[in-house]
Amino acid sequence: MNDIQMQLLIDLHKSNLRQGPGGEAETKKMLKLADIDKSKPLKIADIGCGTGNSSILLAKELNAQITAVDFLPEFLEVLQSQAKAHKEHKVAEKITTLNCSMDSLPFATEEFDLIFSEGAIYNMGFEAGVADWKRFLKPGGKLIVSEITWLTAKRPQELQAHWDAEYPEIDVASAKIKILEQHGYCLEAYFYLPVHCWKDNYYLPMQKGFDAFLERNGQSTQAKEIVEGEKAEIALYEKYSDYYSYGVYIARKL
Ligand code: SAM
């Protein structure tokens, strides 16, 4: 991807609430399944936080200091201004942003009670991520991570070919759970994101912004290509949503 394409992607995504599938009810469900103590002071890292919709929810729900990490400063700026807009629950005071790549995090050993990462670990790969991040968790600390996952043992060839090219690490939940176990985690819960997390919470706001995005960017060829790429991704999901989603893995470090 060249610089212009990256700037266009940032422009398309930064004004949306989410940069990937998810939802408030589902994030609350994750916290419940992880049995997070809401009264205890916690240290949390949200890795690949985007513009921080979930970081802000974590700040509202928990008695926590949250380090929100992303390698795009443009997303972190939006996060900071949105955190300030939430005067209640001292959200801005609870969140520190960190502009850093997820594969070279500067954290101390056993610093965190919870590592949270939604729709982002694929950027370094699921196995590399869970293996690397484990040292930052306290013993007994929790990992909540979402990862693109096959929902069925078999799937159509067109879909298989697409994901083999995009992210060959995609697999069924049982294979992802095995990786967690091999790296010293104990799985506590698993569920996958329902369709509305993709269509209503992620794709629809993006689709509504396509025309304004093209106008802002002078109807350039590269902007049109970005929109066509997103439309193709949406069409693929609409056709094959029975076969894949984000699996949510909730695990405890042993
Ligand atoms: N967690 C957010 C959400 O669910 O709305 C964002 C998910 S978005 C699909 C993936 C995020 O990972 C983006 O914000 C992107 O900037 C970030 N990202 C990609 N590669 C990264 C890296 N190497 N280090 C840190 N963040 C990265």
Side-chain angles (χ1 to χ4, degrees):
M1 184 180 309
N2 65 35
D3 278 359
I4 295 174
Q5 287 166 326
M6 181 58 99
Q7 286 311 313
L8 286 167
L9 274 173
I10 293 167
D11 181 43
L12 177 64
H13 288 281
K14 80 172 184 179
S15 52
N16 291 330
L17 222 47
R18 309 193 53 87
Q19 287 71 46
E24 188 173 319
E26 288 70 22
T27 305
K28 287 182 178 169
K29 179 174 172 178
M30 294 172 204
L31 297 177
K32 193 158 189 263
L33 288 170
D35 199 20
I36 303 291
D37 184 343
K38 294 193 173 187
S39 59
K40 195 179 139 201
L42 299 171
K43 280 199 80 177
I44 300 176
D46 180 2
I47 304 177
C49 60
T51 60
N53 192 247
S54 289
S55 311
I56 290 170
L57 184 62
L58 295 176
K60 285 184 182 171
E61 289 289 309
L62 303 173
N63 176 14
Q65 281 301 321
I66 299 159
T67 306
V69 183
D70 207 281
F71 80 154
L72 292 178
E74 295 88 344
F75 285 173
L76 296 177
E77 280 163 25
V78 176
L79 191 164
Q80 282 162 346
S81 74
Q82 280 177 356
K84 280 187 204 135
H86 288 272
K87 299 273 180 240
E88 77 284 17
H89 307 290
K90 300 185 175 166
V91 167
E93 289 167 44
K94 288 174 161 180
I95 299 177
T96 308
T97 58
L98 176 67
N99 182 206
C100 182
S101 185
M102 63 175 71
D103 52 11
S104 53
L105 295 165
F107 300 141
T109 303
E110 298 182 1
E111 187 175 341
F112 293 102
D113 301 283
L114 169 65
I115 291 182
F116 181 93
S117 182
E118 254 186 327
I121 198 169
Y122 70 88
N123 288 292
M124 68 182 288
F126 183 80
E127 180 155 20
V130 300
D132 187 46
W133 300 348
K134 187 182 159 209
R135 67 201 149 107
F136 305 130
L137 274 177
K138 293 175 185 168
K142 303 289 172 89
L143 173 73
I144 299 178
V145 62
S146 74
E147 161 79 340
I148 200 83
T149 298
W150 291 129
L151 304 182
T152 58
K154 292 186 180 154
R155 70 282 321 181
Q157 181 50 36
E158 179 193 29
L159 183 65
Q160 181 78 50
H162 169 84
W163 280 107
D164 283 348
E166 287 293 317
Y167 185 54
E169 234 187 284
I170 186 171
D171 214 333
V172 289
S174 52
K176 299 287 171 187
I177 293 166
K178 191 171 175 191
I179 288 171
L180 287 165
E181 290 166 349
Q182 282 167 341
H183 286 280
Y185 296 90
C186 165
L187 187 85
E188 298 206 315
Y190 166 76
F191 70 97
Y192 64 86
L193 293 181
V195 168
H196 72 88
C197 286
W198 292 74
K199 287 172 83 164
D200 300 339
N201 299 352
Y202 177 50
Y203 287 144
L204 197 60
M206 191 203 309
Q207 286 168 306
K208 284 185 179 160
F210 283 158
D211 287 346
F213 166 76
L214 290 171
E215 277 307 304
R216 273 198 307 280
N217 291 287
Q219 303 284 344
S220 74
T221 305
Q222 296 202 67
K224 284 180 184 164
E225 282 169 3
I226 297 272
V227 169
E228 289 314 309
E230 299 288 7
K231 284 184 178 171
E233 186 193 304
I234 295 167
L236 190 85
Y237 180 73
E238 283 181 342
K239 191 169 174 189
Y240 292 125
S241 59
D242 284 345
Y243 296 94
Y244 68 99
S245 186
Y246 272 100
V248 179
Y249 300 84
I250 295 157
R252 178 167 50 87
K253 174 177 165 172
L254 294 173

